[in-house]
Amino acid sequence: MTFNEVIGQEEVKERLKQMVSEDRLPHAIMLCGPSGVGKKALATAFACYLLSKTPQEETMLQKLEHPDLHFTFPTIKLPSMGSDHMPVSDDFIREWRELMLKSPYFSMDSWMTAIGAENQQAIITAGESDELVRKLSLKSSQGGYKVSVIWLPERMNIACANKLLKLIEEPPQQTVFIMVCEEPDRLLETIRSRVQRIDVKRVDNESVRKALVERRGIDEQMAIRISRLANGSWLKALEELQVGSENEQFLDLFIMLMRLAYQRKVKDLRRWSDEMATFGREKQKRFLEFFLRMLRENFMYNFQQQELCYMTQKEEDFARNFARFINEANVLEIYDIVNRAIRDIGQNASAKIVFFDLALQMIVLLIQK
């Protein structure tokens, strides 16, 4: 993979290249930023940039099969694994390469689907850090760098995090760690203090628009609208292109919740909560993040700030009559409730209870108009 395949992010690309040209490349880098902005693509492109010295290496990197390129990512324990086996990334490396070669812009939910684990919580185990120690202790097969790309290090369990800390403190010679992180506050402070953090901003609208036109063949006006809706995320831009996308499903669920809450149909709200509980936890969190976006957009629409609204036509059609229910009397309280639900889902609370509690509170909050 090359930097040309990364959407936008020219500033970060140049910064990474400059580190190499000025011979001041740190042994551990952490790319931080929201989902869908290209952190994983940047990390992989930079790893290939460091390792691509000969035609033979370029050929290996095209398949992401270079012996000095190591990927670490969240995994799950399959029923076929023995009781004493701690899952490691190599157990799923075939699925990883297939997904990465298709596109490095994918979500945790897509990754879980690829490994057949939609309803599980993926983590990085201590077995993975042991495997990294073993791999990185070997000499570089090509005489250059050894690069370890770690996707979502915040999902390491504590045993893995402690072992990785020791590895970062005493890195093997010519080893570079590139972490791709979305929630750095969940990492050990001792790890954060030993890496050079680079914040990756949202992709500018113009880069998204240009990529939609040139890479996806989208007409100019549609590309402009999608680039605004994507809010700096190429992943969201791709989702908007899909017919019957997840966001459309989320909008239907959001509309149903608001109508049932306004009508105070508690039994129907219970059924709505049961349906939400059938989703995997990652999807549940994505719905709640969608909820927060709808909260913001309707609040802005209510105050006639349409130029600051970023909605699809269907979302705007609903907002036209609904936005008046989201106002200064309830917006902050609803925001806090939804964020609390995101936290509870992340901590494995009962989804049925979390969503039913949210639904019941919406009954009260919607009448504060």
Side-chain angles (χ1 to χ4, degrees), residues 42-75:
L42 279 166
T44 306
F46 187 47
C48 292
Y49 181 80
L50 294 174
L51 295 171
S52 181
K53 303 300 180 184
T54 67
Q56 181 185 8
E57 287 182 296
E58 289 179 3
T59 300
M60 291 186 290
L61 288 168
Q62 287 176 359
K63 299 180 180 179
L64 300 181
E65 293 179 349
H66 194 293
D68 295 323
L69 174 59
H70 309 288
F71 288 103
T72 290
F73 40 80
T75 60

Side-chain angles (χ1 to χ4, degrees), residues 141-173:
S141 67
Q142 304 298 309
Y145 287 110
K146 293 172 289 183
V147 183
S148 171
V149 176
I150 304 175
W151 183 46
L152 302 183
E154 60 266 39
R155 287 180 175 259
M156 294 185 294
N157 63 22
I158 190 63
C160 178
N162 284 325
K163 289 182 178 181
L164 181 65
L165 172 61
K166 186 175 181 180
L167 192 58
I168 293 175
E169 287 177 331
E170 302 174 6
Q173 190 175 11

Side-chain angles (χ1 to χ4, degrees), residues 242-367:
Q242 299 173 3
V243 178
S245 68
E246 184 178 75
N247 277 4
E248 290 186 8
Q249 180 188 21
F250 286 168
L251 177 61
D252 290 340
L253 288 166
F254 178 81
I255 292 173
M256 184 185 301
L257 169 62
M258 295 307 160
R259 286 176 174 167
L260 293 176
Y262 180 75
Q263 296 168 5
R264 303 186 184 188
K265 294 186 176 181
V266 177
K267 288 185 179 179
D268 290 333
L269 287 171
R270 167 68 77 179
R271 283 193 285 270
W272 179 88
S273 305
D274 291 343
E275 180 180 355
M276 290 301 306
T278 64
F279 298 159
R281 290 192 177 271
E282 295 299 329
K283 187 171 182 178
Q284 290 167 355
K285 287 190 285 187
R286 287 201 307 280
F287 168 76
L288 292 169
E289 288 163 0
F290 174 86
F291 190 124
L292 289 176
R293 183 172 78 82
M294 286 294 95
L295 185 65
R296 177 207 178 272
E297 302 301 340
N298 279 272
F299 184 70
M300 298 304 294
Y301 194 94
N302 186 26
F303 283 88
Q304 300 181 355
Q305 298 292 323
Q306 283 89 339
E307 72 278 4
L308 298 178
C309 295
Y310 301 91
M311 293 187 282
T312 64
Q313 190 61 57
K314 188 176 178 181
E315 290 167 354
E316 189 173 341
D317 290 343
F318 178 65
R320 193 169 293 114
N321 293 318
F322 173 73
R324 62 193 175 92
F325 292 94
I326 303 299
N327 50 67
E328 66 272 18
N330 60 17
V331 65
L332 291 178
E333 191 169 354
I334 297 175
Y335 180 85
D336 289 341
I337 289 170
V338 178
N339 271 298
R340 188 160 59 246
I342 293 174
R343 180 202 64 194
D344 292 343
I345 291 296
Q347 294 177 350
N348 290 324
S350 167
K352 287 185 179 181
I353 294 175
V354 171
F355 283 103
F356 190 50
D357 177 66
L358 171 65
L360 292 179
Q361 293 195 66
M362 287 309 303
I363 293 177
V364 177
L365 292 168
L366 283 183
I367 66 174

Side-chain angles (χ1 to χ4, degrees), residues 14-28:
E14 289 307 311
R15 182 176 176 182
L16 292 171
K17 291 177 183 178
Q18 192 174 18
M19 287 178 176
V20 178
S21 64
E22 296 179 356
D23 196 24
R24 55 181 182 83
L25 179 65
H27 72 275

